[in-house]
């Protein structure tokens, strides 16, 4: 920060303040910063009864000399710094489901039939086909010269054609899909149904794309008060992206189970009938959290709902006693309120109708006796 000090002659200062020149007035010294803020130095140390007002301009924060970056503001004491959860990393952007190239099943049947026909014709050409078989297929009698190089080549071509035609036939089912790959590279997904022809050189991995549900085992959780629970959840899900579900992760079903267990560790689950939303609020929070965790791996989660919530065995007895005590306290409070209302109504009616004349002592005795009588009639100790 640059600091400049200017000396003003006494004559000019005296003229500006309306005093006579040479009256022994101090020279004004000014300090200027980068924001053109001027503070008279003599006003800061002035011994006078009048208050001194120092105009201040906006503070200027300079850049760091070593890095060229602005310094980060320090968090105010008493306010927690928000912590943002890092999102899950996306899988390979090129790894996304796309349809594979397949042909109708009729093309595979035609290619297989052509291969068989070629092998039959080659056998007849070599003279190895018996005359009855030739007449059955409508071939004229021909005496060949035996197998040669041309015959073997024809056999090889016919065999390859027949094997490719019949070997690539596949039946697509509703709710099932095939993930195709070659030499470790994703080639596409087949979701079509019916008789299809798929390249037999491409390895196939079958995946279930139907809407599925999974009922978990008893998993650990906590309630809003921190008490240990054992929760069983029902998860409704399906595979949305077959490429990411099968190739982007080792096992998507195991990953789904672990995500559910991790969500239960972070979301408090309240038993049914609670005042904070019960299992409905916990199910909504679990569904949202698990859906965010499984979306990058191609799994779509529709619902995660607790179906059975129980306290852990080590705290079940204590919680049961606490509930019984709370119910008993509410019942006693309700009973006492009704007894007090009945006693008040009885005493009021007796005094307003003039049936009895009571002083303070008699009123207290009557109230005590009526209270004992009403409590005894309700079967509760006083």
């Amino acid at each position: 920060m640059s600091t400049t000090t200017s000396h003003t002659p006494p004559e000019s200062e005296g003229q500006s303040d309306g005093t006579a020149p040479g009256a022994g007035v101090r020279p004004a010294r000014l300090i200027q910063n980068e924001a053109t803020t001027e503070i008279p130095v003599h006003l800061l140390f002035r011994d006078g009864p009048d208050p001194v007002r120092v105009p201040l301009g906006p503070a200027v924060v300079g850049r760091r000399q070593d890095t060229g970056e602005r310094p980060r503001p320090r968090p105010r004491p008493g306010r927690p710094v928000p912590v943002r959860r890092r999102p899950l990393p996306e899988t390979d952007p090129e790894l996304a489901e796309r349809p594979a190239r397949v042909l109708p099943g009729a093309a595979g049947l035609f290619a297989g039939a052509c291969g068989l026909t070629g092998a039959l014709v080659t056998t007849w050409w070599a003279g190895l086909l018996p005359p009855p078989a030739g007449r059955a297929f409508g071939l004229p009698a021909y005496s060949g010269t035996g197998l040669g190089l041309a015959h073997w080549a024809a056999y090889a071509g016919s065999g390859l054609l027949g094997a490719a035609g019949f070997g690539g036939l596949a039946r697509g089912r509703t709710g099932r899909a095939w993930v195709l790959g070659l030499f470790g590279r994703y080639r596409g997904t087949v979701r079509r149904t019916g008789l299809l022809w798929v390249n037999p050189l491409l390895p196939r991995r079958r995946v279930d794309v139907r809407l599925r549900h999974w009922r978990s085992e008893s998993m650990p959780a906590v309630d809003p008060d921190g008490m240990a629970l054992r929760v069983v959840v029902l998860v409704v899900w399906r595979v949305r992206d077959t490429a990411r579900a099968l190739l982007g992760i080792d096992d998507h079903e195991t990953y789904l189970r672990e995500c559910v267990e991790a969500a239960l560790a972070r979301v408090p689950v309240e038993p049914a009938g609670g005042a904070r939303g019960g299992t409905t609020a916990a199910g909504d929070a679990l569904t949202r959290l698990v859906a965010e965790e499984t979306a990058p791996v191609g799994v779509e989660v529709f619902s995660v709902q607790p179906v059975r919530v129980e306290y852990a065995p080590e705290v079940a007895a204590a919680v049961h006693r606490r509930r019984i005590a709370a119910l008993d306290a509410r019942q006693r409070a309700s009973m006492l309120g009704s007894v007090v209302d009945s006693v008040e109504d009885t005493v009021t009616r007796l005094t307003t109708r003039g049936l009895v004349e009571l002083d303070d002592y008699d009123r207290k005795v009557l109230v005590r006796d009526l209270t004992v009588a009403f409590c005894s009639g309700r079967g509760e100790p006083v």
Side-chain angles (χ1 to χ4, degrees):
M1 178 181 296
S2 60
T3 304
T4 58
T5 306
S6 59
H7 299 274
T8 305
E11 292 79 2
S12 60
E13 184 180 1
Q15 294 175 2
S16 60
D17 295 340
T19 59
V25 181
R26 295 181 180 178
R29 297 182 180 181
L30 303 180
I31 300 178
Q32 298 180 356
N33 57 7
E34 293 182 0
T36 65
T37 302
E38 299 183 359
I39 304 176
V41 177
H42 71 281
L43 293 179
L44 297 178
F45 305 96
R46 182 177 179 180
D47 298 329
D50 298 335
V52 179
R53 298 180 180 180
V54 181
L56 298 178
V60 178
V61 180
R63 296 181 179 269
R64 296 181 180 180
Q65 299 297 332
D66 51 347
T67 59
E69 300 180 356
R70 292 184 179 273
R72 298 181 179 178
R74 297 181 179 178
R76 297 181 179 179
R79 294 186 178 181
V81 180
V83 180
R84 296 181 179 179
R85 186 174 60 88
R86 297 181 59 184
L88 290 177
E90 292 287 344
T91 56
D92 188 357
E94 298 181 358
L95 188 62
E97 181 179 333
R98 60 179 182 270
R101 298 179 181 178
V102 295
L103 297 177
L109 293 175
F110 179 75
C114 291
L116 291 179
T117 303
L120 179 62
V121 172
T122 303
T123 304
W124 172 79
W125 178 29
L128 302 178
L129 187 66
R135 289 192 296 269
F137 287 105
L139 298 176
Y142 178 76
S143 58
T145 58
L147 294 175
L149 183 60
H151 300 87
W152 286 112
Y155 271 127
S158 301
L160 290 177
L161 183 61
F166 291 121
L169 292 177
R171 182 179 61 176
R173 298 181 180 180
T174 304
R176 303 292 178 90
W178 284 308
V179 177
L180 308 181
L182 181 63
F183 303 119
R185 184 178 180 183
Y186 173 63
R187 292 293 183 177
T189 301
V190 180
R191 286 182 179 260
R192 296 174 56 181
T193 59
L195 188 61
L196 306 172
W197 184 86
V198 185
N199 188 352
L201 299 179
L202 300 179
R204 312 170 192 173
R205 295 182 60 181
R206 186 182 295 273
V207 57
D208 193 346
V209 294
R210 297 175 297 179
L211 190 66
R212 305 170 62 183
H213 69 279
W214 168 63
R215 185 186 179 96
S216 70
E217 299 178 354
S218 183
M219 294 184 176
V222 295
D223 65 354
D225 297 329
M227 304 296 292
L229 298 175
R230 304 297 296 180
V231 181
V232 177
V233 297
L234 180 65
V235 184
V236 181
W237 64 284
R238 73 175 179 182
V239 175
R240 179 178 52 86
D241 193 313
T242 57
R244 293 184 177 180
L246 266 70
L247 305 178
I249 196 171
D250 186 16
D251 188 355
H252 61 279
E253 295 185 5
T254 304
Y255 179 74
L256 175 63
R257 297 188 182 95
E258 294 177 353
C259 285
V260 172
E261 187 173 358
L264 283 174
R266 287 181 282 179
V267 176
V269 180
E270 187 178 13
R276 305 177 185 178
T279 57
T280 303
D284 296 341
L286 290 173
T287 302
R288 181 173 59 256
L289 185 58
V290 176
E292 293 177 358
E293 298 289 342
T294 57
V297 298
V299 176
E300 186 175 7
V301 177
F302 296 95
S303 174
V304 181
Q305 295 295 332
V307 295
R308 190 175 67 190
V309 180
E310 298 177 351
Y311 282 96
E314 59 270 14
V315 298
V319 172
H320 182 65
R321 289 194 300 268
R322 186 178 65 178
R323 286 186 173 181
I324 292 178
L327 291 174
D328 185 66
R330 286 198 297 268
Q331 184 179 2
R332 287 176 178 272
S334 176
M335 183 271 299
L336 183 60
S338 62
V339 167
V340 171
D341 294 340
S342 301
V343 170
E344 181 182 6
D345 183 63
T346 302
V347 173
T348 303
R349 288 185 178 184
L350 290 175
T351 54
T352 55
R353 294 182 181 182
L355 299 178
V356 293
E357 293 182 0
L358 303 174
D359 55 6
D360 293 341
Y361 178 78
D362 295 336
R363 183 184 296 273
K364 293 179 182 179
V365 173
L366 180 60
V367 168
R368 183 190 61 186
D369 296 340
L370 289 176
T371 303
V372 172
F374 287 151
C375 290
S376 299
R378 294 175 179 269
E380 294 290 341
V382 180

